[in-house]
Amino acid sequence: MNNEQLSNKRHSLAHLLASAVLEQFPDAKLGIGPVIDNGFYYDFIFSKPLSPDDLPKIEKCMRELAKSNLAFERQDVSSEEAKSFYANKDQPFKDELINELSDTGESLSLYKTGEFTDLCRGGHVENTSEIDPESFKLDKLAGAYWRGDETKPMMTRIYGLAFETKEELDAYLNMREEALKRDHKKLGPELDLFVFSDLIGAGLPLWTPKGTLVRNMLDDYVWELRQAKGYTKVEIPHITKKDLYEKSGHWDKFKDELFRITTREGHEFAMKPMNCPHHTQIYNRKRWSYRELPQRYCNTTTCYRDEQSGELAGLSRVRAFAQDDAHVFTRLSEAKQEFVAVWDIIETFYKTFGFELKVRLSTRDPQNPDNYLGNSTDWDKAQDLLKEIAKEKGVETLDGIGEAAFYGPKLDFMANDSLGRQWQVATIQFDFNMPERFDLFCINEQGEQERIVMIHAAIMGSIERFLSVLIEHTGGNFPTWLSPLQAVVLPISEKQTEYAGNVIKQLKDSIPNLRVELDDRSESIGKRIREAAKQKVPYLLVVGDKEIEADSLAIRKRGDEDLGIIKVSDFIQTLKSEIEQKS
């Protein structure tokens, strides 16, 4: 089944849902029922509240309809005919849609399925016999304002899941169940990585010692990769005068998302939502010869955006987020090699964590040119350059029309996690607008001012968001080099405590900065092992009399893998190699 067929099937099921609801709740008011990822939904208003307990009987009715070999019959109608059809049906939301569509002169159509008829553009299956009755299920209830407008009535939204086969539906449900176990909002606090405080505010994460260690190690790794490519670190303040963002074009674009500050002298400042305009001012501190370019600045720093409360989601969407941001100021003739250098860093970084990457070429939407800065000639030139880079890399890009930044096109890297979900992670952005707005140039071979271009290069992007993805990708089982605690030594009784201490000393002497702890509490060895396993420690090193005699350790690897009795010296070499190679 191709995407269009599956979409038609899901759309048809939305109609069966509305039909089943009206069969059981005849006075229900109908909203709309579109296709969404993994299924469909339909919005209703009920005379009394619907509960999750009502979903099974609605679903049962839908299955009976699906088995009834009902045709989807299309009838093209005028707005007057549509109004006449709904005249005595007390469906105010359908009336509103018809009035709105009639004002545009758009043609209308009705679809009849059994006893149910709905205002709809299509498409649908030809007959319900094409729908496997076991390939869908009703999923959940939610509240939703009509047309997404909080000034309009609150409706009850019924979500459904639908796939080609029951097997695909079951696989999705299993994946979702696993995703719930891996939810970073649950695992993060359990692993003592971060917390939120009502006194500080939603969307403002606090990082514990363990979480801070992980963040810093990730940032250090990115810096290690960047340093090898000639980047240098810079630092900037967290606030700026309004003037900077007016000149860059960000004020008009993001003014509603800014945290604003009015000084006691009446000056207007903003908490920075991004770093690029600040970096232009570091570049602009002096005149540069073409021989001194590219200038590559990187800066891991917190940015702030006034996200609405309903949009916040754990670490995925926050109000304060750290960007591992970098900007390259370069001649156009050198832009390609700078793009490729960033691409190499991205590939190395994400390969370390086992992510599969795809690349999306994000271009401007030609139908809405006013949403972007600059002229068509510059945009075409920049987009062609990115296409050329992808072609030379031998990569077939995904189409991202309309996904460009407002100042230039970009390459977005999409990562598939261990559950098969796709996330946008790193990005490389081409910018010819800010150099123009801030009059950034170099002195070329002829002694003339030459306009430069700017490349925005974020590897993790937001560290918070990257960690939300990484926690769920690994299920909290960070690779050994990144784990806040890499090993725990567990003496079976007090008699082995001294030997356990000597093991820790050997480990630390051989592997600088190793994060290893002794757990010699009076609890049973079984309880201590279970608690360490819950914290997802990569190696549990159990010590008894036999291990002392053999100068060895009984080693359990994360995931209950028993590695048996291993010499301390041999384990040190294994652990050292694993950390150094980031394997």
Side-chain angles (χ1 to χ4, degrees):
M1 184 177 287
N2 61 35
N3 288 341
E4 184 180 358
Q5 289 173 317
L6 184 56
S7 177
N8 288 345
K9 171 181 173 177
R10 288 169 171 166
H11 200 174
S12 303
L13 283 164
H15 281 229
L16 295 190
L17 168 57
S19 179
V21 164
L22 287 180
E23 198 169 303
Q24 298 178 48
F25 305 93
D27 60 349
K29 305 295 179 269
L30 304 179
I32 57 173
V35 172
I36 56 173
D37 286 346
N38 304 313
F40 57 93
Y41 71 76
Y42 211 111
D43 290 340
F44 306 90
I45 286 184
F46 294 93
S47 56
K48 61 179 183 179
L50 200 70
S51 83
D53 293 338
D54 293 310
L55 294 184
K57 60 184 180 183
I58 297 173
E59 186 179 300
K60 182 180 178 184
C61 183
M62 288 177 66
R63 293 193 200 288
E64 291 170 356
L65 291 169
K67 294 174 183 176
S68 300
N69 296 333
L70 302 174
F72 279 81
E73 301 170 4
R74 179 184 175 112
Q75 181 184 359
D76 292 312
V77 294
S78 66
S79 57
E80 289 73 20
E81 288 172 322
K83 287 176 184 177
S84 174
F85 176 80
Y86 279 103
N88 300 312
K89 293 187 166 49
D90 192 19
Q91 291 293 344
F93 302 111
K94 297 298 181 183
D95 294 337
E96 180 182 325
L97 289 172
I98 292 167
N99 289 331
E100 187 177 296
L101 291 169
S102 63
D103 289 342
T104 66
E106 187 174 343
S107 62
L108 307 180
S109 58
L110 301 173
Y111 273 87
K112 184 175 185 297
T113 315
E115 299 300 316
F116 175 69
T117 300
D118 203 359
L119 178 72
C120 183
R121 292 191 183 97
H124 297 283
V125 297
E126 291 186 9
N127 191 287
T128 58
S129 61
E130 298 174 43
I131 299 173
D132 177 356
E134 301 301 319
S135 66
F136 69 88
K137 76 181 302 297
L138 295 185
D139 188 32
K140 61 183 178 181
L141 299 174
Y145 291 109
W146 170 237
R147 312 296 290 276
D149 185 341
E150 60 187 24
T151 66
K152 294 185 176 179
M154 173 65 75
M155 308 188 79
T156 298
R157 178 168 293 176
I158 302 179
Y159 283 98
L161 301 170
F163 293 86
E164 183 179 353
T165 64
K166 181 180 185 301
E167 290 72 26
E168 289 181 15
L169 172 64
D170 290 342
Y172 173 78
L173 291 170
N174 290 335
M175 182 278 289
R176 194 171 69 173
E177 186 177 341
E178 180 62 26
L180 286 173
K181 295 176 189 174
R182 293 167 174 252
D183 187 346
H184 77 276
K185 297 186 291 296
K186 168 178 170 288
L187 282 179
E190 284 180 6
L191 298 176
D192 195 25
L193 299 174
F194 61 85
V195 296
F196 289 92
S197 164
D198 290 338
L199 287 175
I200 289 173
L204 302 170
L206 302 169
W207 294 90
T208 66
K210 285 183 178 179
T212 302
L213 175 72
V214 171
R215 281 168 56 98
N216 289 345
M217 291 190 71
L218 288 168
D219 192 40
D220 289 346
Y221 182 32
V222 171
W223 166 236
E224 175 189 321
L225 297 173
R226 278 182 167 151
Q227 192 176 26
K229 300 288 187 181
Y231 284 75
T232 53
K233 288 186 177 182
V234 296
E235 196 54 74
I236 59 177
H238 289 240
I239 62 173
T240 179
K241 285 170 62 179
K242 172 184 179 182
D243 308 48
L244 180 72
Y245 290 143
E246 285 182 326
K247 193 170 182 66
S248 69
H250 288 91
W251 189 267
D252 287 340
K253 188 77 175 175
F254 294 107
K255 60 187 174 187
D256 294 333
E257 298 175 32
L258 299 178
F259 287 108
R260 302 187 191 185
I261 303 164
T262 302
T263 71
R264 56 187 171 178
E265 296 175 318
H267 303 301
E268 190 166 9
F269 281 69
M271 302 286 283
K272 63 183 174 68
M274 71 287 295
N275 310 305
C276 35
H278 287 74
H279 286 187
T280 67
Q281 300 309 290
I282 298 176
Y283 177 85
N284 223 15
R285 73 191 186 275
K286 57 173 281 189
R287 286 164 66 95
W288 297 94
S289 163
Y290 72 94
R291 293 187 182 89
E292 297 173 286
L293 266 55
Q295 287 289 308
R296 308 177 186 95
Y297 303 152
C298 63
N299 183 199
T300 299
T301 178
T302 302
C303 295
Y304 309 87
R305 294 186 187 172
D306 186 10
E307 303 285 4
Q308 297 184 56
S309 298
E311 296 175 334
L312 300 174
L315 298 180
S316 302
R317 192 80 174 261
V318 290
R319 289 178 170 140
F321 56 95
Q323 283 188 321
D324 63 331
D325 217 355
H327 298 96
V328 181
F329 300 86
T330 182
R331 304 175 85 182
L332 180 60
S333 59
E334 297 173 327
K336 186 191 294 187
Q337 65 194 49
E338 293 302 314
F339 255 88
V340 171
V342 180
W343 192 322
D344 290 343
I345 292 172
I346 290 168
E347 283 187 327
T348 301
F349 182 82
Y350 284 92
K351 185 178 180 182
T352 302
F353 300 102
F355 284 110
E356 296 178 15
L357 291 177
K358 294 182 179 178
V359 183
R360 182 177 70 196
L361 175 59
S362 294
T363 57
R364 70 172 181 165
D365 181 356
Q367 304 300 318
N368 295 288
D370 292 342
N371 292 342
Y372 308 91
L373 301 177
N375 59 68
S376 296
T377 301
D378 285 339
W379 273 91
D380 291 343
K381 189 185 299 182
Q383 290 172 177
D384 288 344
L385 178 67
L386 300 196
K387 289 175 187 175
E388 192 178 315
I389 291 168
K391 185 177 180 181
E392 290 182 8
K393 272 282 193 176
V395 171
E396 189 173 330
T397 57
L398 304 172
D399 196 4
I401 296 173
E403 297 293 336
F406 75 101
Y407 49 73
K410 56 190 176 122
L411 295 174
D412 292 320
F413 291 79
M414 320 298 287
N416 284 354
D417 69 11
S418 57
L419 296 180
R421 300 172 299 179
Q422 190 174 79
W423 308 90
Q424 181 187 328
V425 284
T427 182
I428 320 174
Q429 303 175 4
F430 190 95
D431 186 354
F432 43 80
N433 272 291
M434 256 188 279
E436 191 70 36
R437 284 174 169 256
F438 288 107
D439 193 23
L440 306 182
F441 59 86
C442 70
I443 305 301
N444 66 18
E445 293 90 337
Q446 288 75 40
E448 299 168 341
Q449 292 185 6
E450 178 184 311
R451 178 69 67 230
I452 64 166
V453 296
M454 197 172 164
I455 296 170
H456 305 243
I459 308 304
M460 288 183 282
S462 154
I463 297 181
E464 283 73 13
R465 187 172 178 279
F466 174 73
L467 266 170
S468 74
V469 174
L470 184 64
I471 289 168
E472 297 186 10
H473 175 60
T474 63
N477 296 301
F478 293 137
T480 302
W481 70 272
L482 189 61
S483 290
L485 184 58
Q486 295 164 313
V488 175
V489 181
L490 302 131
I492 291 175
S493 68
E494 289 182 6
K495 293 189 298 179
Q496 295 90 28
T497 300
E498 183 179 350
Y499 177 77
N502 289 333
V503 167
I504 289 177
K505 185 176 185 307
Q506 288 182 65
L507 289 169
K508 287 187 171 182
D509 287 347
S510 302
I511 309 174
N513 302 315
L514 182 70
R515 299 180 293 280
V516 57
E517 290 182 359
L518 171 69
D519 185 357
D520 60 350
R521 292 174 298 154
S522 57
E523 306 285 359
S524 70
I525 187 66
K527 182 176 181 180
R528 284 181 284 149
I529 287 173
R530 286 192 298 274
E531 288 180 359
K534 274 185 78 173
Q535 287 301 301
K536 303 186 184 294
V537 180
Y539 287 102
L540 309 183
L541 315 178
V542 180
V543 175
D545 290 338
K546 287 190 301 182
E547 286 73 34
I548 294 175
E549 289 175 18
D551 192 24
S552 299
L553 303 162
I555 300 177
R556 289 173 179 256
K557 196 170 184 178
R558 186 170 47 200
D560 290 331
E561 184 182 353
D562 189 349
L563 301 184
I565 309 296
I566 297 177
K567 287 280 189 184
V568 175
S569 57
D570 291 341
F571 175 67
I572 286 172
Q573 292 307 310
T574 298
L575 186 57
K576 188 175 184 179
S577 174
E578 190 173 332
I579 292 170
E580 288 176 351
Q581 294 177 22
K582 292 184 169 63
S583 56

